Amino acid sequence: VLYADGGSGKSTFTLAVAATGATSNVFIPGVTNVARRPIKTLYLDWEADEDDANQMLLEISRGANIKIPANHILYQHMSGAFIDQVDELVQTIVENDVELIVVDSLVASAGGDVTDAEAARMFHNAVRSLKVASIGITHTNKSDGLYGSRFFWNLARQVFRLKSISEPETNPVIGLYHEKSNRSQLNLPVAWEVEYENPDTPDALIRYKVQDIQSVPELAKGTGLRERIIGVLRNGSYTPMQLADRLNESDEKIRETLERHSATFVKTGGLSDAWTLVEERTD
């Protein structure tokens, strides 16, 4: 499950993931096709139309300068409840050798009250009956969590949060946070600047560029204390008290984190109580 506020670019991001699967090339730095061979995606869309999806794919293709095979990302406009159309989807999946489906979005596809645990159970059961990988796109609630029943979270194998920061006349920066994993460690938060060049022209393109998540204060808030300390120490050495002031944390918590991660942090030496990154220290 991938969730985000409206307008965060989650559909565009997911189409770029599908392009990665379709070509085994990199469209989003750091996001790779672990199958190591091209795979086909079925994009099930309740919220937009095929022209929008095709235009986004074209701009993503231009941004990476990589051609996306037309028959590897199949688009299907949807209406009605997802669970009522599973039998028809099975035929499409089998005939086209589809290995990944995208459901955009969970709320629109539910056909009922998504705050009800039964809606989450039926959705996940329907997806798993298709026996392919899936990405379910959804929204945030008023508390900034995943919208709908908690069982959408509980029954998902992986949950990612996408957060976008944008200002007028600048490219947005998005942060991706891995919040749940059933069978592996959580990945570290990552960020990208999303370049929109020549918008509303025949040469429009979308390009993802790596961004230091610690350099964007609003995105850095969602990272762990260890990662936030690393972001500060990349600019020089600091004492625990100075770090506590910069990061709005207690001196005790900062010192505990510094000492626990001895492979990452080290004292600068001498009488100073300053710390630096192990990789930055020169003896």
Side-chain angles (χ1 to χ4, degrees), residues 19-33:
T20 301
T23 64
S24 293
N25 288 304
V26 176
F27 291 83
I28 306 171
V31 178
T32 58
N33 179 355

Side-chain angles (χ1 to χ4, degrees), residues 72-111:
H72 274 58
I73 302 177
L74 309 176
Y75 179 92
Q76 188 164 327
H77 180 73
M78 303 291 290
S79 61
F82 172 74
I83 59 172
D84 293 336
Q85 303 175 64
V86 169
D87 290 342
E88 295 176 16
L89 292 175
V90 168
Q91 185 174 351
T92 302
I93 288 169
V94 171
E95 289 179 353
N96 294 279
D97 195 26
V98 168
E99 296 185 65
L100 170 68
I101 64 166
V102 175
V103 177
D104 189 2
S105 65
L106 298 189
V107 174
S109 71

Side-chain angles (χ1 to χ4, degrees), residues 231-275:
V232 175
L233 294 183
R234 282 181 181 146
N235 300 313
S237 57
Y238 288 82
T239 67
M241 187 174 295
Q242 291 170 328
L243 288 168
D245 184 60
R246 287 284 298 271
L247 299 174
N248 195 29
E249 297 283 356
S250 70
D251 175 80
E252 179 181 338
K253 192 172 182 179
I254 293 290
R255 192 177 295 278
E256 176 186 325
T257 303
L258 291 168
E259 293 174 349
R260 185 168 70 250
H261 297 284
S262 58
T264 305
F265 308 115
V266 63
K267 279 191 174 183
T268 57
L271 299 176
S272 172
D273 191 29
W275 290 69

